[in-house]
Amino acid sequence: MTAPPLRSPPQALKLPPNRALVYHLSENYLLIQKHETMTPTSSFERVLDSVEALSVDEQEVLIQLVQRRLTERRREEIAANIAQARSDYQAGKVFRGTVEQVMNELRQ
């Protein structure tokens, strides 16, 4: 006994480019279901995928480079904050005093 030929579902499916088709055989019909494909949706995910493709040695070098750049960025931010604080102090925008004096100033 041979199985009857498979029939396609009556409606046509239009899929966006980021979708995939999964075929199932059931009751002599070809069932088609839409499934999202695993595509990176953010630049962060794409970067992680790229890092995972690197060798362990390359990942370690990358970590060191990123840590150095973050350290340098923090130093630049601290230097900018110091420069702003000095400028504010010279312009008289800074209040100096005891805790009690500062609290009284804030209450006014």
Side-chain angles (χ1 to χ4, degrees), residues 43-62:
S43 59
F44 186 77
E45 288 174 356
R46 286 190 297 275
V47 168
L48 284 179
D49 289 342
S50 297
V51 169
E52 288 178 4
L54 298 174
S55 70
V56 173
D57 291 339
E58 290 171 324
Q59 289 181 21
E60 289 173 352
V61 170
L62 178 63

Side-chain angles (χ1 to χ4, degrees), residues 80-91:
N81 289 340
I82 291 171
Q84 182 65 46
R86 285 182 178 157
S87 173
D88 288 347
Y89 181 74
Q90 290 173 351

Side-chain angles (χ1 to χ4, degrees), residues 12-53:
L13 296 174
K14 294 181 181 177
L15 298 173
N18 66 337
R19 302 250 181 181
L21 295 177
V22 177
Y23 300 94
H24 297 281
L25 298 177
S26 174
E27 299 178 15
N28 297 326
Y29 281 96
L30 177 62
L31 300 178
I32 302 174
Q33 295 179 334
K34 295 186 274 186
H35 288 278
E36 290 287 335
T37 57
M38 292 298 293
T39 57
T41 56
S42 71
S43 59
F44 186 77
E45 288 174 356
R46 286 190 297 275
V47 168
L48 284 179
D49 289 342
S50 297
V51 169
E52 288 178 4

Side-chain angles (χ1 to χ4, degrees), residues 92-98 101-103 105:
K93 297 179 181 177
V94 177
F95 180 83
R96 288 182 62 180
T98 65
Q101 290 170 332
V102 171
M103 294 305 294
E105 182 69 22

